Amino acid sequence: MLKLLNKKLNRTLFTTPTHGQSAPSFLNIQNLKSFYKWDYSEIEGYDNLLNPTGPILMAEGKASDIYNTKKTFFLTQGSTTGLLAIMKTVLGENDRVLVARNCHKSVFSGLVLTGADVDWFMPDTKSEMCTKWGIMGCIDPKELQDTFKLNQYKAFIMTSPTYEGINSDIEEISKVCKSYGVILIVDEAHGALYNFSEFFPKTAIEQGADFSVNSLHKNAGLNQCALLHMSKDCPYDWREVQNSINLFHTSSPSYPLIADIEANINFLVSDRGTKAIDDLVLNILRFQKELKEEGYEFLNEECADVTKLVLRLNGADCSKLSDILYEDYKIEDEISSEFSCLYLTGIGTTGKKLDKLKRALIDVKNKKFDKILMDEISVPVFQPYPLVKIKPQEAFNREYAYVSKENAPLMLSSEMIVPYPPGIGVLYPGEAIQKEHLIYLNDDVGVIKI
């Protein structure tokens, strides 16, 4: 592994983390040796992340002021830890929760751990935008209200922005949730820059969410650096949340990562940070303008986050486009399909890096278009509405057996089928296997014994 780390990566990455594999100037960790110098345990005077009373408490307090929250917690194990802690705080055995189906797989882990009953809510898949780009869209507040009229829920869990950068109207969703006494939990992992620039929507907390999480590494910092936010109106005591975090968080958190979180936030809120974000967005807008003149289309013109470069070229199979960019130009995207490619950017994405991608895309379009032609007109196939027969906790612990793929339909899955990226579940334990799932399954399929 060390040999791999020491080997120069001859690749241009538009993936997480988006710091560009160079030490952020605001942290001053220039190499592995100096990183070790920051690596302490809970020695005298250095505080404890799981029971902060000194400098970490002060840093979290400053972050709460910056994000305008009741409490902001530092996490060194990603947004996953934050989502698990929120769910453990809010949900108990047999509580009923509504979850948007485009959630991250960690939400299913939270369902197993809490013993909650789940109903799934399907985001938009029928609009022209969704069928054109092959992605799930927004949460419709009216549909959500209709669902609440028919069922009682303790909480609603949703993702905004989505993996591709689609933002839902959280302000309206929050009003619906509050009118029915439902706690609103927003996975805002990909919106870590939203608090710091007018180029982005208001944060989930500003729009009325009770809880949210941010993954700083998605746009700015080191892997695993994340935040959990509680709104000032959140009906829970922050100590309950801290206790829940402590159930899941390592008792030996990384001090370099804690330092990165603090330094990252301080940078983003500074004049230098504002300039870095503005430069990023302006470079992207210039990049998009020049590529649109070449025939490329971009999702963010519809409603998405500008830092998520979701693009397509009419008549092209974007999975083939992705392959050529990787093989011939050493440029790696985050994810691709027939319908679009996703290139992630952040404060480590330079104008030079965008120019390299632009030149490659233009070159493929002008010289290699015959290699990326779509074989036939395709229509995206979205996962069907899940048929939940056994609640997640029970399904996770049930005995299972293996059957052939041909015999699997209408049996109950014992396995999680989660393409990664983006980490969104196609099939979870306790759900009936439907014909649309078969393309994801191996020849032998784990099913629950009834």
Side-chain angles (χ1 to χ4, degrees):
M1 187 65 194
L2 283 174
K3 287 183 179 179
L4 286 175
L5 289 173
N6 287 326
K7 182 180 179 182
K8 183 174 175 58
L9 188 68
N10 185 26
R11 227 179 293 168
T12 301
L13 302 177
F14 286 88
T15 62
T16 58
T18 58
H19 51 56
Q21 284 66 54
S22 60
S25 59
F26 54 84
L27 187 54
N28 196 31
I29 296 179
Q30 299 298 332
N31 54 53
L32 191 60
K33 184 178 180 181
S34 59
F35 192 92
Y36 267 83
K37 291 181 179 179
W38 291 57
D39 197 18
Y40 302 104
S41 62
E42 290 74 18
I43 58 176
E44 191 67 32
Y46 274 68
D47 212 354
N48 185 329
L49 185 62
L50 305 190
N51 181 31
T53 58
I56 295 176
L57 181 64
M58 292 175 64
E60 288 185 337
K62 182 178 179 181
S64 294
D65 292 338
I66 290 169
Y67 287 94
N68 195 28
T69 61
K70 175 191 288 188
K71 179 72 173 176
T72 290
F73 301 88
F74 291 0
L75 307 171
T76 65
Q77 291 171 209
S79 288
T80 290
T81 303
L83 287 170
L84 294 177
I86 293 167
M87 293 177 72
K88 186 62 179 174
T89 301
V90 174
L91 300 173
E93 187 83 19
N94 299 322
D95 279 340
R96 201 169 182 186
V97 58
L98 185 67
V99 181
R101 187 61 181 193
N102 60 345
C103 72
H104 187 262
K105 69 186 185 78
S106 57
V107 173
F108 182 81
S109 301
L111 295 171
V112 172
L113 291 165
T114 60
D117 282 314
V118 64
D119 286 344
W120 295 100
F121 185 90
M122 297 302 288
D124 173 32
T125 58
K126 298 177 181 177
S127 68
E128 182 182 352
M129 180 196 73
C130 294
T131 55
K132 176 180 178 179
W133 292 91
I135 62 171
M136 287 185 176
C138 301
I139 301 295
D140 185 336
K142 179 63 170 60
E143 287 186 20
L144 186 67
Q145 185 172 30
D146 291 343
T147 303
F148 287 166
K149 287 178 181 178
L150 298 174
N151 303 283
Q152 289 186 322
Y153 296 103
K154 186 77 175 290
F156 174 51
I157 304 174
M158 61 173 289
T159 301
S160 182
T162 66
Y163 196 73
E164 298 84 9
I166 297 293
N167 291 287
S168 293
D169 188 345
I170 297 174
E171 190 168 349
E172 285 302 311
I173 292 168
S174 172
K175 291 176 183 176
V176 173
C177 287
K178 284 179 169 53
S179 67
Y180 286 87
V182 176
I183 297 297
L184 176 57
I185 303 166
V186 179
D187 180 349
E188 198 182 29
H190 279 271
L193 297 182
Y194 282 18
N195 196 66
F196 304 101
S197 174
E198 294 182 358
F199 281 113
F200 305 109
K202 291 181 179 179
T203 67
I205 293 295
E206 288 175 314
Q207 293 188 68
D210 294 290
F211 293 97
S212 72
V213 293
N214 293 145
S215 288
L216 289 168
H217 71 267
K218 296 289 197 296
N219 299 104
L222 291 169
N223 261 330
Q224 297 179 230
C225 292
L227 301 167
L228 188 166
H229 304 293
M230 297 177 68
S231 76
K232 290 182 176 178
D233 297 328
C234 181
Y236 292 86
D237 189 296
W238 68 267
R239 295 170 188 83
E240 297 177 78
V241 181
Q242 182 71 71
N243 289 338
S244 295
I245 290 172
N246 294 355
L247 288 174
F248 304 110
H249 211 290
T250 176
S251 59
S252 302
S254 166
Y255 276 78
L257 294 185
I258 297 170
D260 180 75
I261 293 170
E262 180 185 26
N264 212 313
I265 295 169
N266 290 342
F267 173 76
L268 292 173
V269 79
S270 70
D271 291 341
R272 287 175 58 225
T274 299
K275 185 179 186 306
I277 297 170
D278 289 349
D279 287 348
L280 169 66
V281 174
L282 292 173
N283 283 335
I284 289 171
L285 294 177
R286 187 161 44 247
F287 166 90
Q288 290 181 332
K289 180 178 182 297
E290 293 173 5
L291 280 172
K292 281 187 279 188
E293 293 171 356
E294 297 288 336
Y296 282 92
E297 298 175 76
F298 292 87
L299 176 64
N300 73 283
E301 293 180 287
E302 315 229 11
C303 65
D305 181 339
V306 69
T307 66
K308 279 72 174 170
L309 292 174
V310 184
L311 59 84
R312 67 189 296 273
L313 184 62
N314 196 34
D317 181 333
C318 290
S319 62
K320 294 180 181 178
L321 173 62
S322 171
D323 290 342
I324 286 184
L325 283 177
Y326 181 77
E327 292 165 7
D328 295 355
Y329 301 89
K330 306 302 181 188
I331 296 175
E332 185 168 348
D333 60 35
E334 176 73 7
I335 191 172
S336 62
S337 69
E338 293 174 79
F339 308 97
S340 60
C341 296
L342 168 59
Y343 296 88
L344 291 181
T345 69
I347 60 172
T349 305
T350 62
K352 182 179 179 181
K353 189 174 180 180
L354 287 168
D355 284 342
K356 180 178 180 180
L357 175 59
K358 178 188 69 179
R359 288 193 299 270
L361 289 167
I362 292 173
D363 201 45
V364 172
K365 182 250 180 182
N366 290 336
K367 300 177 182 178
K368 305 181 182 183
F369 188 72
D370 60 317
K371 295 183 179 180
I372 62 171
L373 281 171
M374 190 171 280
D375 297 326
E376 57 185 33
I377 296 176
S378 298
V379 177
V381 177
F382 294 99
Q383 58 174 289
Y385 187 85
L387 303 176
V388 181
K389 298 300 182 181
I390 303 175
K391 79 175 187 177
Q393 187 182 72
E394 182 183 350
F396 187 82
N397 292 302
R398 288 283 285 269
E399 291 187 10
Y400 60 90
Y402 286 96
V403 300
S404 67
K405 181 190 291 191
E406 292 74 22
N407 292 326
L410 299 185
M411 292 188 172
L412 303 186
S413 178
S414 68
E415 302 175 348
M416 284 197 286
I417 309 299
V418 185
Y420 214 100
I424 296 170
V426 173
L427 185 66
Y428 288 118
E431 296 177 356
I433 299 169
Q434 302 177 59
K435 61 182 177 60
E436 293 89 346
H437 298 134
L438 296 181
I439 60 172
Y440 297 99
L441 304 181
N442 296 323
D443 291 336
D444 293 321
V445 181
V447 296
I448 291 173
K449 290 183 178 179
I450 302 298

